[in-house]
Amino acid sequence: MNKNPNASRQQSILRWIYLDLTVIGAAIPLYYFVQHFSELGFSLSLLLAQAFANPVATALTSDLLISSFVFWIFAGVQLHAKGQVKSLAIFILLNLMIGLSCALPAYLWWSTRQQQA
């Protein structure tokens, strides 16, 4: 437990920032996914075709896929060291179902809460 009140306050503020970013990181991608699926129906093949539709989309999608994979490894190593590797599934599901913009700040929020406990 941290005895420095200033550091404790900073950790608390940081946790709130991570939580806010988790909500924002869920809301924005979900808005566009709902818009896409309501207009075009649920088709993973169409979603993938559009994700790789041109060089810019391919670059952004590739960047996101590589970053997600790196996040899974990083979180897995960190959680394994803490003996909490089962928690990794939650963050991978968030990543796959919503996106890295939700999963990464959610992991950071969860991790800072674990440090405080």
Side-chain angles (χ1 to χ4, degrees), residues 20-34:
D20 290 345
L21 289 171
T22 299
V23 172
I24 292 167
I28 292 173
L30 283 175
Y31 171 80
Y32 288 106
F33 281 133
V34 167

Side-chain angles (χ1 to χ4, degrees), residues 24-105:
I24 292 167
I28 292 173
L30 283 175
Y31 171 80
Y32 288 106
F33 281 133
V34 167
Q35 185 178 355
H36 170 84
F37 291 130
S38 67
E39 289 176 9
L40 303 173
F42 187 78
S43 169
L44 288 178
S45 61
L46 179 58
L47 180 71
L48 287 174
Q50 290 187 340
F52 293 96
N54 58 57
V56 173
T58 300
L60 292 171
T61 301
S62 298
D63 182 68
L64 179 62
L65 292 172
I66 292 165
S67 299
S68 293
F69 184 67
V70 171
F71 168 65
W72 296 355
I73 293 170
F74 171 77
V77 169
Q78 296 294 311
L79 291 168
H80 184 268
K82 297 175 185 177
Q84 300 172 332
V85 79
K86 289 183 180 181
S87 301
L88 180 60
I90 295 166
F91 302 109
I92 290 176
L93 280 175
L94 282 174
N95 189 189
L96 292 173
M97 300 301 288
I98 300 172
L100 186 60
S101 63
C102 175
L104 178 57

